[in-house]
Amino acid sequence: TGRKQLALIPSSTMLSMSFQQYDAFLEENKLSTNQEQTRMVKRVGHNIQKAVEQYMADNNRSEALKDYHWEFNLVESSEVNAWCMPGGKVVIYSGILPITQDEAGLAVVMGHEIAHAVARHGDERMSQGLLVQTGGLALSTALATKPETTRQLWMAAFGLGASVGVMLPYSRLHENEADRLGLIFMAMAGYDPRVAVEFWKRMSQEKKGGAPPEFLSTHPADETRIQNITARLPEAMKYYRKADG
């Protein structure tokens, strides 16, 4: 987007920690045994991946993806959640699938989460968290002196679970950027971006049904967001027609 960002942590450090934390998460959580749903997650993920790579190439930003090691996994959990760590490490929780409903709905979530990673929003949140929680210690120092605090910050920055003591919601700015890029990514992958409106409406209903899903503790779903997404559809549809044709 061309916006300046707070980035206290080198990309190489973020990727290294991402790969370690992702592997640790998969060891601690059960992968889904539903082969059909797992195949769908990997299929949609790879389609979005190709779209992201094409979009970045078109904008002379392929360098930003050079150390990505994409992975798409479905975890068995009733939690309504999904996230993407730096380097393209994606997890979808089976609890969100009844709300996504189909591949296009899943593409909304994946496009949005991958957009957060590509735009380095989690890096910003981690940098902000380090400033607040550790007084701006370097990540390596924070890991050595305050490993549990740092791990909790990481989990919160990337939306992993409710067990952490700190929750770092995405800002309105981050959400708008991820909504815009996510719609473009899903459209380029061949999914109709117009389904995003219905997905966020369903997510809003889920929020009204009781305690908000974990996904919404970092992703506020409201009327303003739906209006903003609707306003962004004409731009996204240009990419959809191109993919369609």
Side-chain angles (χ1 to χ4, degrees):
T1 62
R3 177 174 62 81
K4 283 189 167 63
Q5 293 175 287
L6 174 69
L8 302 179
I9 309 160
S11 179
S12 58
T13 306
M14 289 297 291
L15 289 173
S16 172
M17 190 169 179
S18 174
F19 299 158
Q20 290 172 21
Q21 294 290 350
Y22 190 75
D23 288 346
F25 177 87
L26 293 181
E27 283 175 17
E28 294 166 9
N29 292 270
K30 184 176 182 291
L31 290 175
S32 172
T33 54
N34 186 314
Q35 293 187 353
E36 185 180 345
Q37 289 180 345
T38 298
R39 279 195 298 269
M40 177 177 69
V41 164
K42 292 185 185 298
R43 184 167 60 247
V44 174
H46 287 304
N47 289 342
I48 299 281
Q49 173 191 340
K50 286 188 286 187
V52 170
E53 289 170 347
Q54 184 61 53
Y55 179 85
M56 296 298 269
D58 291 347
N59 288 277
N60 298 313
R61 293 293 308 278
S62 292
E63 182 74 7
L65 302 178
K66 69 179 174 63
D67 294 317
Y68 268 48
H69 296 286
W70 296 90
E71 240 180 292
F72 310 96
N73 281 294
L74 178 65
V75 165
E76 194 61 53
S77 171
S78 59
E79 211 176 293
V80 177
N81 203 5
W83 43 259
C84 178
M85 284 189 198
K89 300 296 190 182
V90 178
V91 160
I92 303 293
Y93 293 64
S94 56
I96 205 170
L97 295 182
I99 303 169
T100 60
Q101 292 187 351
D102 55 22
E103 278 201 32
L106 182 57
V108 176
V109 171
M110 279 198 159
H112 183 91
E113 288 306 299
I114 289 169
H116 276 307
V118 169
R120 299 190 64 182
H121 292 158
D123 301 37
E124 277 189 278
R125 294 203 294 174
M126 189 70 191
S127 293
Q128 289 160 355
L130 280 172
L131 272 178
V132 173
Q133 297 286 323
T134 69
L137 286 178
L139 181 60
S140 56
T141 308
L143 277 171
T145 59
K146 301 183 177 182
E148 190 50 39
T149 299
T150 308
R151 187 167 187 266
Q152 287 197 353
L153 267 178
W154 179 276
M155 302 283 270
F158 294 98
L160 281 72
S163 59
V164 295
V166 57
M167 182 52 68
L168 304 173
Y170 283 112
S171 68
R172 180 78 64 188
L173 177 66
H174 284 173
E175 284 303 294
N176 284 337
E177 287 181 355
D179 283 341
R180 175 176 176 254
L181 288 172
L183 290 173
I184 290 171
F185 294 159
M186 70 176 292
M188 288 180 72
Y191 300 104
D192 187 342
R194 289 171 292 197
V195 305
V197 174
E198 293 307 316
F199 166 77
W200 286 109
K201 283 180 181 174
R202 290 194 297 274
M203 191 58 86
S204 267
Q205 289 305 117
E206 187 76 11
K207 187 178 181 180
K208 289 171 186 167
E214 186 63 24
F215 192 66
L216 293 185
S217 61
T218 56
H219 298 72
D222 54 28
E223 290 304 313
T224 307
R225 152 178 251 132
I226 290 165
Q227 288 168 8
N228 288 341
I229 287 174
T230 303
R232 295 193 183 284
L233 284 176
E235 179 191 24
M237 289 302 290
K238 294 174 188 171
Y239 292 90
Y240 182 54
R241 284 200 296 274
K242 189 163 66 174
D244 227 6

